[in-house]
Amino acid sequence: MTHVVVVRDEREGGEAAAAIIADRIEARPDTVLGIATGSTPLTTWAALAERGLDLSRTRAFALDEYLGLPPGHPQSFEAVVAREVTAPLGLDPALVQVPAANGDDPDLAASQYERSIVAAGGIDVQVLGIGRNGHLAFNEPGTPLDAPTHVAVLSAATRSDNARFFGAPDEVPTRAITQGLGTIARAGTLLLLAFGSRKATALAAALEGPIGAPLPASVIRRHPDAIVIADTDAAALIAKRVPA
Ligand code: GLP
């Protein structure tokens, strides 16, 4: 069941998402949280931090990590998660995992990451954004819907969209380790956030188009507990709207 909630703006969207996450953590302090990076979840992290919950037992797994950045690069997701999530939310850094991207065998690192998620009992709530081309994490169009954590080659559109975080377009990595669509689908709850008109086409395709590899985000419609929180701009092309 995919439940779609339309909100006025990303601030309201972040508060709605934070309320869902907070309820889960209050019920189970050692909840396993899945962390998306990018701009979309920032209002959620801010709203969650404002609640002042004790998140010291909450465990977390990042969705993905670039390959090829030098250790400690400020735009590595290890650095982004530490800066934007772990520190502001008061998570225990020892309980926050990001794919190991600096080894000499990224495929091995990907399979080890998949195993660490399984060993943690799986992800309870996976926060997701959506790419303009309908990607989830770094699962680009064409990725099998049952893929495990793996090494992905980033599309030109994805590299272009993420260039804003780097000094120059050619500094954006070409590959990443990403949780697969199969990995994401095994989470207990999917919480997909979409804000802004740039996401309207991808979100409408994900919710109303064919379910399949050409539109990776469509996989959420197969999930038993998927919640979409979108602002009015991102929801503009969705025919069947559920008011907030
Ligand atoms: C990247 C990330 C995704 C994210 C997407 C959208 O590709 N790997 O997890 O959802 O960008 O980013 P933003 O939220 O900045 O639009």
Side-chain angles (χ1 to χ4, degrees):
M1 170 67 184
T2 306
H3 184 56
V4 179
V5 178
V6 181
V7 294
R8 280 192 301 258
D9 54 31
E10 63 183 325
R11 184 191 56 77
E12 192 174 289
E15 287 171 2
I20 293 166
I21 297 167
D23 285 351
R24 298 299 178 88
I25 293 173
E26 283 171 341
R28 190 182 151 194
D30 66 339
T31 288
V32 183
L33 183 60
I35 292 174
T37 51
S39 306
T40 298
L42 294 178
T43 55
T44 297
W45 308 140
L48 198 50
E50 279 170 19
R51 286 169 168 266
L53 290 175
D54 173 9
L55 302 183
S56 60
R57 290 176 54 201
T58 300
R59 294 169 290 167
F61 287 90
L63 267 177
D64 40 21
E65 175 61 285
Y66 286 117
L67 286 167
L69 292 179
H73 189 288
Q75 291 312 322
S76 69
F77 288 161
E78 180 178 30
V80 169
V81 167
R83 185 170 66 236
E84 296 178 358
V85 187
T86 305
L89 295 187
L91 297 178
D92 177 350
L95 300 181
V96 180
Q97 296 191 47
V98 178
N102 295 313
D104 54 12
D105 187 341
D107 292 313
L108 177 62
S111 57
Q112 286 172 334
Y113 197 66
E114 179 82 15
R115 282 199 296 275
S116 60
I117 292 172
V118 173
I123 291 172
D124 296 308
V125 183
Q126 177 63 60
V127 177
L128 295 163
I130 183 170
R132 270 193 315 135
N133 62 357
H135 74 243
L136 283 187
F138 277 131
N139 292 279
E140 299 282 20
T143 305
L145 299 190
D146 61 353
T149 302
H150 63 280
V151 174
V153 175
L154 305 190
S155 69
T158 296
R159 295 188 66 227
S160 165
D161 286 347
N162 286 284
R164 69 187 191 277
F165 297 114
F166 292 85
D170 62 0
E171 289 179 25
V172 184
T174 57
R175 297 189 311 154
I177 294 176
T178 183
Q179 287 187 39
L181 297 171
T183 321
I184 293 167
R186 281 190 288 278
T189 296
L190 302 184
L191 185 52
L192 189 148
L193 312 175
F195 306 126
S197 54
R198 288 169 60 247
K199 304 299 176 75
T201 302
L203 185 63
L207 293 176
E208 299 176 345
I211 297 177
L215 209 293
S218 64
V219 73
I220 70 168
R221 289 177 21 223
R222 288 181 173 169
H223 195 280
D225 186 22
I227 303 164
V228 174
I229 298 177
D231 67 5
T232 48
D233 287 341
L237 302 179
I238 298 171
K240 301 182 282 296
R241 284 201 194 183
V242 176

